[in-house]
Amino acid sequence: MTITITAFERSPDRGKGLARDMRVRWALEEVGQPYDVRLLSFKSLKEPAHLALHPFGQIPTYEEGDLALFESGAIVFHIAERHAGLLPDDANARARAIAWMFAALNTVEPPIFDRALARILEHDEPWYEQRLRVLEENIRMRVSGLSSRLGNADWLDGAFSAGDLLMVSVLLRLKGSGLLEEYPNLSAYVARGEARPAYKRAFDAQLAVFTALSTG
Ligand code: GTB
């Protein structure tokens, strides 16, 4: 059955791979599932056809036969459950990998997203620098725990899993900010994720959307 996901027609990140379709593409590449992509304008996100798939009018979505899903975490979890390669077979190890998926989305991503949002929306406010310091301290509180737990290991809990896929996806937003670089083991962890052939294929596919726009 054909899998179709949705992505931005014009991603504001200009092909940096920061929009949340990237993690879904990466998961599909890891498990070797081909997929189609429907590109959407910002306007069409809020039109009835897309709202029927996604109640909040966002990307990504996932369609496969009569199944339609939204929320990148739920989509990655679905892919990981249906195909080998992203979740361990051992029940306890699987539960721990799922815990890391939740940690990435529920504990680590929110402060990172708050900082990204403030940089866009609050940049001109007189209190911006002060707020940025608070937001960055919130991030440090989370990533320092993550750094200690990862230690010298390659991945968070044994073999690479959907937990690592989501954690690396979330941390990528900090690359170049100086914050990730404060934790050399996390920088190396992110680089290991980016070096995976499946990541590269996913990255190139989303970059091709931007390149086609700028050359077309
Ligand atoms: N919790 C949802 C999920 O994980 O799927 C959140 C989905 C979401 O935030 N989607 C965003 C969207 O559709 C795109 S990814 N926004 C349009 C809208 O809400 O109208 C967030 C995002 C956007 C842009 C960049 N960027 O340019 O760097 C990075 C991330």
Side-chain angles (χ1 to χ4, degrees), residues 45-67:
L45 287 178
K46 309 300 178 200
E47 287 171 353
H50 188 66
L51 286 171
L53 288 174
H54 196 307
F56 312 120
Q58 296 184 310
I59 61 105
T61 57
Y62 174 103
E63 292 155 80
E64 184 181 17
D66 57 8
L67 174 68

Side-chain angles (χ1 to χ4, degrees), residues 24 54 56 58 60-61 69-76:
V24 174
H54 196 307
F56 312 120
Q58 296 184 310
T61 57
L69 290 175
F70 60 97
E71 282 297 328
S72 60
I75 297 169
V76 170

